[in-house]
Amino acid sequence: MPAGHPIRAIRAIVDGALARLSPTFDAMYERVGRPSVPPEHLLKGMLLMSFYSIRSERQLCERLHYDLLFKWFVGLNITDEVFDHSTFSKNRDRLLEHGVATAFFAEVRDEARRRHLLSSDHFTVDGTLLDAWASMKSVQPRDRDDGPPAARGKNPTVNFRGQGRSNETHASTTDPDARLARKADGQATRLAYAGHVLMENRNGLVTDVVITHASGKAEREAALQMIDRRERHHRITLGADKGYDTQDFIADCRARDVTPHVAQHTTNRRSRIDGRVTRHRGYALSQRHRKRVEEVFGWIKTVAGGRKLRYIGIPRNQLWAAISASAYNLVRMATIERQAAL
């Protein structure tokens, strides 16, 4: 391993966070019985999947057989036996049961705070659609009782022309948590989840991440949820795009001592953001910095493999989102400190 490789700095942060989670890991496993995959190996393996765009647990375990960097990061010796991909998948659900991914994300975030990399005053919120691991052909009427379509084969031809489908009347038989959604008028409707991020504006680090059903109000509801989970000490500013410029959301922000630095609607309807907010220099700064949240979504979709989700259901995708956001923060923290050292 080269001395200057950035993953060395990342592993040091990860090891510190895992050490602080050791009491949680001890409570997850019985003291008797056959040894299982250590949770530290599971978390590090999932981080590697995000760092190096590994698509599945099977591919990860295959690469662990011959990639020395992967073995070193996970904590295996060259001669150590690699766990099977099915064992990895089964033990991953144990992380889900004990909320380990969320706790690990919080530890990484707290480490960034200890290193004075987080802003406590200025934040940005945004949401995006993440394609579900389900085909549009799996969308069937909710009251259907006559079994699957008559067409047969691995990929039968199905004609949806002329059929009216909505989330109230139809659902996916593959992933019931997925919803029919589209980002804007004129775009294709697809099965998707809504991914939401709360970002601090100083260095563009993620302070919270949520996966929800895709709906017209999902972005604003998730934003309020993430604000409520934040440690509240004083008034903050919250940057957002025009989709958050609604009367209810602005009122809810003000009730929470949050100054809404939301982009103004210029067409179709009257903006709820007036001169009380826009006259200040901070509003223009928030509008400029809020665009950095697109870097988070871009990294998560391309590098971490979030453009097409690999899991079914909100709980498993929430686990993936917490690990992916942790991976993004780790890469960002290592980059910031490496640049500061130059």
Side-chain angles (χ1 to χ4, degrees):
M1 284 293 299
H5 199 289
I7 204 167
R8 285 188 176 273
I10 291 174
R11 184 185 172 183
I13 301 174
V14 171
D15 288 341
L18 293 177
R20 291 186 290 273
L21 290 176
S22 182
T24 302
F25 298 152
D26 292 340
M28 290 171 56
Y29 293 89
E30 297 290 343
R31 297 186 179 276
V32 296
R34 183 178 179 181
S36 184
V37 180
E40 294 88 345
H41 292 180
L42 296 174
L43 282 168
K44 286 183 175 181
M46 296 185 72
L47 287 173
L48 287 172
M49 293 174 68
S50 296
F51 293 149
Y52 291 95
S53 304
I54 306 299
R55 186 62 199 170
S56 66
E57 287 88 355
R58 185 186 294 270
Q59 292 181 2
L60 171 68
C61 294
E62 177 184 353
R63 190 158 175 179
L64 279 170
H65 280 285
Y66 60 81
D67 195 316
L68 295 182
L69 184 147
F70 274 41
K71 273 198 168 183
W72 170 83
F73 185 83
V74 169
L76 295 174
N77 292 320
I78 295 178
T79 57
D80 287 344
E81 184 178 354
V82 176
F83 37 79
D84 186 76
H85 67 90
S86 61
T87 304
F88 185 96
S89 300
K90 290 179 181 178
N91 282 270
R92 183 197 61 229
D93 291 340
R94 191 170 296 180
L95 300 180
L96 182 63
E97 294 172 5
H98 294 267
V100 173
T102 302
F104 178 75
F105 172 80
E107 288 292 342
V108 173
R109 180 189 59 203
D110 292 343
E111 178 62 25
R113 183 178 289 111
R114 285 189 287 270
R115 299 184 182 210
H116 306 289
L117 299 178
L118 293 183
S119 169
S120 60
D121 301 313
H122 308 291
F123 297 85
T124 293
V125 68
D126 202 2
T128 190
L129 291 181
L130 304 172
D131 288 351
W133 188 253
S135 169
M136 288 293 291
K137 295 181 181 181
S138 69
V139 178
Q140 301 294 330
R142 292 183 181 272
D143 57 356
R144 184 184 181 93
D145 56 2
D146 56 350
R152 298 183 179 277
K154 185 177 180 180
N155 189 20
T157 300
V158 181
N159 185 7
F160 299 115
R161 185 176 296 276
Q163 297 182 16
R165 294 183 294 173
S166 69
N167 290 315
E168 288 73 25
T169 60
H170 289 67
S172 170
T173 57
T174 304
D175 188 353
D177 282 345
R179 295 291 184 268
L180 295 169
R182 58 183 177 183
K183 189 65 176 176
D185 293 340
Q187 295 187 2
T189 299
R190 60 190 194 269
L191 284 169
Y193 288 90
H196 314 273
V197 161
L198 182 66
M199 179 194 76
E200 58 83 34
N201 289 355
R202 179 182 298 169
N203 289 305
L205 294 170
V206 179
T207 61
D208 205 348
V209 59
V210 176
I211 300 294
T212 67
H213 296 299
S215 68
K217 297 181 179 180
E219 289 185 334
R220 297 184 292 275
E221 292 173 350
L224 296 175
Q225 177 185 346
M226 291 187 288
I227 291 172
D228 290 338
R229 295 198 302 207
R230 185 187 60 87
E231 295 180 3
R232 301 178 64 181
H233 300 293
H234 52 270
R235 178 176 289 273
I236 65 169
T237 66
L238 184 69
D241 59 28
K242 297 178 182 179
Y244 296 83
D245 187 7
T246 65
Q247 182 176 1
D248 292 342
F249 181 74
I250 300 303
D252 289 336
C253 285
R254 296 189 188 281
R256 290 167 168 79
D257 289 333
V258 175
T259 302
H261 284 182
V262 177
Q264 291 179 293
H265 266 288
T266 56
T267 58
N268 299 331
R269 59 187 173 85
R270 178 172 171 266
S271 174
R272 300 298 174 177
I273 302 297
D274 53 29
R276 292 179 298 170
V277 175
T278 58
R279 66 181 179 179
H280 295 287
R281 178 173 173 267
Y283 177 79
L285 290 174
S286 291
Q287 287 301 297
R288 185 167 73 245
H289 285 293
R290 73 173 177 83
K291 299 175 183 178
R292 298 180 63 183
V293 75
E294 300 299 337
E295 298 176 10
V296 178
F297 288 134
W299 192 92
I300 288 177
K301 286 185 176 183
T302 56
V303 180
R307 190 176 301 278
K308 184 78 170 180
L309 296 174
R310 62 172 68 95
Y311 302 116
I312 293 176
I314 287 181
R316 285 187 173 87
N317 282 310
Q318 178 64 46
L319 181 145
W320 164 84
I323 295 296
S324 297
S326 300
Y328 176 83
N329 282 347
L330 289 167
V331 172
R332 188 86 184 100
M333 291 165 63
T335 301
I336 293 169
E337 296 194 339
R338 185 172 65 253
Q339 291 174 346
L342 296 178

